[in-house]
Amino acid sequence: MERGSPGLSVWLVSVTRGGMAEDCENLSCGTHEQLALLTKIVFADMMLEHSRPVFLILDDPLVYTYDGRPDAKNEFLTQAAPRMQVILLTCSDRAIV
């Protein structure tokens, strides 16, 4: 993308879980946050494929994620950390990587 060109907009319309497509408007805030985090990691990986330096700065990326599921955040970030620098800012006392 050239400087001065309009920004890129990406919209997730549906996800498939258990073989069933679900409209993203019906997903919880926590699920939206998890999908947003995964999207950031995927875009960072795409930059890495083109030999671009990559780092992620995340400011409380999963505030609304259900407390019983901190493992999802830990798994995403633990898998990303060997490939890129990850800086996680949080005021939460929940389990952190």
Side-chain angles (χ1 to χ4, degrees):
M1 189 180 320
E2 292 182 30
R3 285 196 170 143
S5 64
L8 175 66
S9 294
V10 177
W11 296 96
L12 186 60
V13 178
S14 68
V15 295
T16 303
R17 293 196 283 187
M20 304 267 307
E22 293 183 55
D23 185 5
C24 285
E25 291 180 8
N26 299 326
L27 301 175
S28 70
C29 290
T31 301
H32 278 268
E33 286 180 332
Q34 291 174 29
L35 290 170
L37 176 58
L38 287 173
T39 301
K40 291 172 186 173
I41 293 170
V42 167
F43 275 108
D45 280 334
M46 289 170 40
M47 292 179 69
L48 281 172
E49 289 176 7
H50 295 285
S51 300
R52 304 275 175 107
V54 174
F55 60 90
L56 291 176
I57 300 175
L58 305 167
D59 185 7
D60 267 333
L62 299 172
V63 174
Y64 296 104
T65 296
Y66 172 60
D67 281 343
R69 270 197 252 168
D71 291 342
K73 171 180 57 182
N74 289 344
E75 184 177 338
F76 300 156
L77 297 177
T78 299
Q79 289 180 11
R83 300 186 310 276
M84 63 194 74
Q85 183 178 13
V86 178
I87 300 169
L88 176 64
L89 306 171
T90 184
C91 62
S92 173
D93 59 356
R94 291 188 285 184
I96 304 295
V97 176

